[in-house]
Amino acid sequence: MGLNLEEQKAVDRFRANVVEPSMHSLVILDFWAEWCGPCKALTPVLEKVAADYADKGVVLAKVNVDEEGFIAGQFQVRSIPTVYAIFQGQPVADLTNARSESQLKATLDQLLAKLPIKPGGAPAQDIAPLLAMGEEVLAGGDAERAASIFSQIVEIDAGSGAAYGGLIRAMTALGEVDEAEAVLNALPAELADDAEVARARAALELVRNKPADSELAALEAAATPDNPEGQLAYAEAAFAASDRDKAADTLLAMIAADREWNEGAARAKLLQIFEAVGLEDPWVAGQRRRLSLILFG
């Protein structure tokens, strides 16, 4: 870059003190000097506002123009105090004219509403496309890759119930039932009632006791119209063995024959399967139409 040693050191200091923090926080960058009276008046205001907004991802960095003339020159500082808001290494606002606490806070509120910054300074990344990708991959049958995608999303946003739910369902599809249950049991309390976590829990419960092929065949043979207990057991086993069509067919036949049997156990099991698969899934939509025809003609 054609910099001499001192200039390179200045750049390194600026990178460490301003650029790197700005990758995940909003940095208030204050250019000042010891001899500057207005700077001394502004400093307490900047420090107070930065402290008040620390939990929103705001930090204060100061550059002494007498000691860091090269950096001040790069920002074309002509007078002090000069104050910028820096995000991801770039100036996003000139705060120089915001001299009062209320003015500074009003400007920061506007910036924070637009910038992808989370409380505490963690970078906010739009995980929606990643979640959609994970769901698409899982629906396509590649549970291993889906688990990898959802694991990465959890690292980005540990508060995402959708990410944890997807991870648990992917692990369940891989047959890693014990591991999936461990993830479920270790979830933060605030995610216990999350809809996607509930969906994953339902899927895990349904496949926890996946039968062997011989056992599944025996259950199917016993699932006769005069044996509703056997039909229900077979439907559970068929879904656990990833044959959701046979599970739904069996349960719908039971509902058509006697919807009130065992306090509506067949319908309750079918609704549990719907929740496990996902209420927005096209397959579920089709089965719900079949259920409506049975219930309402």
Side-chain angles (χ1 to χ4, degrees), residues 7-268:
E7 290 171 342
Q8 185 60 58
K9 288 181 178 179
V11 169
D12 291 342
R13 286 192 296 270
F14 184 79
R15 180 180 293 113
N17 297 331
V18 178
V19 176
E20 291 180 4
S22 78
M23 301 312 293
H24 54 77
S25 300
L26 182 63
V27 177
I28 300 175
L29 178 59
D30 176 29
F31 289 94
W32 69 290
E34 290 286 354
W35 46 265
C36 173
C39 297
K40 294 179 180 179
L42 182 60
T43 291
V45 178
L46 293 177
E47 291 176 344
K48 183 178 186 304
V49 170
D52 290 346
Y53 277 63
D55 61 350
K56 297 180 180 181
V58 175
V59 298
L60 175 63
K62 301 177 69 65
V63 173
N64 187 321
V65 297
D66 290 335
E67 297 175 354
E68 302 287 4
F70 176 73
I71 298 299
Q74 298 303 303
F75 278 83
Q76 299 182 351
V77 174
R78 298 287 182 261
S79 63
I80 53 175
T82 292
V83 184
Y84 290 113
I86 307 293
F87 181 64
Q88 294 187 344
Q90 301 295 323
V92 293
D94 187 340
L95 306 178
T96 303
N97 292 325
R99 298 297 179 92
S100 70
E101 180 179 337
S102 61
Q103 289 174 327
L104 275 168
K105 287 186 173 181
T107 304
L108 290 176
D109 287 339
Q110 293 175 1
L111 291 171
L112 292 170
K114 299 176 182 178
L115 298 174
I117 299 173
K118 279 188 173 182
Q125 181 173 342
D126 184 6
I127 63 173
L130 298 176
L131 289 170
M133 180 190 301
E135 292 292 348
E136 181 179 356
V137 171
L138 183 57
D142 193 345
E144 184 173 2
R145 182 175 170 226
S148 176
I149 293 171
F150 286 121
S151 293
Q152 293 177 42
I153 302 173
V154 166
E155 291 180 4
I156 296 171
D157 186 353
S160 171
Y164 275 111
L167 176 60
I168 292 167
R169 286 186 291 111
M171 295 173 72
T172 300
L174 283 170
E176 298 175 352
V177 176
D178 292 341
E179 294 84 347
E181 191 161 9
V183 172
L184 180 64
N185 292 337
L187 286 181
E190 59 269 21
L191 293 180
D193 297 325
D194 183 272
E196 289 299 321
V197 172
R199 175 186 173 189
R201 184 182 295 109
L204 182 58
E205 289 175 356
L206 285 167
V207 305
R208 185 173 282 114
N209 298 312
K210 182 178 179 179
D213 291 343
S214 58
E215 182 182 357
L216 183 62
L219 288 170
E220 184 176 13
T224 56
D226 60 346
N227 181 13
E229 289 88 354
Q231 287 180 300
L232 184 63
Y234 171 66
E236 292 178 337
F239 186 82
S242 302
D243 195 340
R244 61 187 187 182
D245 287 333
K246 285 190 176 181
D249 290 346
T250 301
L251 293 169
L252 287 167
M254 293 177 67
I255 295 168
D258 184 359
R259 68 184 66 176
E260 301 301 329
W261 175 78
N262 196 16
E263 300 181 347
R267 183 180 178 185

